[in-house]
Amino acid sequence: MASEDKKSGGIVETIKTVVYALLIAGVFRTFLFQPFWIPSGSMKDTLLIGDFLFVNKMAYGYSYASCPSIIAPRFGINIDAQDICGIFDGDNKRLFGGEPQRGDVVVFRHPVTGRDFIKRLVGLPGDKVQMRGGVLQINGTPVQLEPAGVFEEIATAQGPQRLRPRCENGPVGEGGVCTKTRMTETLPGGVSHSILNITTQGSDNTSVYTVPEGHYFFMGDNRDNSSDSRVPNIAGGVGFVPYENLVGRADRVMFSSAGRSMLFFWTWRSDRFFKAIQ
């Protein structure tokens, strides 16, 4: 009898431990930091496919978008932040709200699909944003650009989605060297970062976008390979992003995997451990 009671007590303690761990993880992810694994190449070369980072949720305060989404199609799980905290959606406000700065790399919820995106904030409320000849214009003034060499990568399938990079010198064969022109862009306020060019395309020349109050304009650093605010969300792009849709700021890459899974430690990139995000 004593043995059965001891066994029963052990099971109860195990359940308590698991529940407490889940609660702690939930609080950590909801209020402090959210893990994020870069799935696409829209932010190269600032962020590479396979970079793993934690998003600082304290930077901008909290809204409905701060609630975690739990999506695991393999197990039929699709719990969205809207399902948990949707009651707080719609007022475009935040608790303990902080103002994002131009040049921040931000994770936000897509205004239509609700999926998490990561892009660079280039346009603040009231700004007039335009692309002209591949050069970003903010309030009628082109940003400063300086040559920064060439970005090189191997032309092969990348990440779990097996995405192949687009190349300025392409197409190149499997295993060939894929190149893109790299420039250093300096935004108003002084934030400098790398951008890449692949080709001349429609997104290099746009109309003037006037950013509404309480909204922000985002672009990918890999300018010719990014679905961002240059395309309205009703047309499959991102459009203007409401303040309440911001999840947090990305400050540092923790580690990076060049393979199909972040668990393949033998594919981790040795030069990206704890790398600051510029």
Side-chain angles (χ1 to χ4, degrees):
M1 185 71 175
S3 177
E4 291 181 1
D5 290 342
K6 185 175 180 179
K7 183 177 180 181
S8 177
I11 294 174
V12 170
E13 288 303 314
T14 299
I15 293 174
K16 285 183 178 179
T17 299
V18 171
V19 170
Y20 291 152
L22 291 174
L23 287 174
I24 292 171
V27 169
F28 182 87
R29 181 168 179 178
T30 300
F31 296 106
L32 301 177
F33 299 95
Q34 175 175 314
F36 193 87
W37 193 31
I38 303 301
S40 73
S42 68
M43 282 294 293
K44 291 176 181 176
D45 66 336
T46 302
L47 296 172
L48 304 180
I49 294 176
D51 281 353
F52 181 84
L53 49 88
F54 283 101
V55 178
N56 181 357
K57 288 191 168 184
M58 298 176 285
Y60 309 135
Y62 306 98
S63 70
Y64 87 97
S66 302
C67 286
S69 297
I70 306 172
I71 301 173
R74 182 177 179 182
F75 302 101
I77 300 174
N78 187 2
I79 303 174
D80 188 76
Q82 183 77 36
D83 300 326
I84 304 172
C85 297
I87 189 174
F88 302 110
D89 181 18
D91 61 3
N92 206 22
K93 296 180 180 178
R94 307 183 73 87
L95 182 65
F96 309 123
E99 292 296 327
Q101 303 299 308
R102 193 192 314 276
D104 285 357
V105 176
V106 180
V107 171
F108 58 87
R109 281 175 56 86
H110 189 287
V112 175
T113 68
R115 298 300 189 190
D116 287 343
F117 273 51
I118 185 165
K119 306 287 181 185
R120 189 176 299 275
L121 194 162
V122 300
L124 300 174
D127 280 346
K128 296 184 182 300
V129 181
Q130 183 181 22
M131 290 294 291
R132 189 182 300 168
V135 179
L136 175 62
Q137 319 273 322
I138 298 178
N139 297 321
T141 302
V143 299
Q144 180 182 340
L145 290 175
E146 295 181 0
V150 175
F151 173 72
E152 296 184 351
E153 59 185 332
I154 301 301
T156 189
Q158 300 176 355
Q161 299 181 40
R162 314 310 291 155
L163 300 176
R164 295 186 63 84
R166 292 177 61 201
C167 312
E168 188 175 21
N169 62 328
V172 298
E174 176 71 20
V177 177
C178 173
T179 66
K180 302 174 181 66
T181 298
R182 177 165 50 200
M183 303 287 285
T184 297
E185 178 181 86
T186 301
L187 299 171
V191 173
S192 296
H193 58 96
S194 294
I195 62 169
L196 303 181
N197 179 73
I198 301 173
T199 187
T200 299
Q201 57 187 43
S203 57
D204 289 332
N205 292 281
T206 70
S207 57
V208 177
Y209 303 96
T210 301
V211 185
E213 189 66 29
H215 291 71
Y216 298 90
F217 194 97
F218 290 91
M219 293 177 64
D221 291 348
N222 191 2
R223 290 288 161 80
D224 295 333
N225 198 53
S226 174
S227 175
D228 49 40
S229 292
R230 288 172 288 181
V231 179
N233 54 51
I234 58 174
V238 170
F240 303 121
V241 177
Y243 181 45
E244 66 181 349
N245 280 44
L246 307 186
V247 174
R249 186 181 66 219
D251 295 325
R252 190 173 297 273
V253 173
M254 304 307 293
F255 67 90
S256 181
S257 171
R260 298 187 64 171
S261 170
M262 65 180 179
L263 300 179
F264 294 175
F265 62 87
W266 58 90
T267 67
W268 289 2
R269 301 176 174 107
S270 60
D271 61 338
R272 297 189 71 79
F273 285 104
F274 309 111
K275 182 178 178 63
I277 297 173
Q278 303 296 326

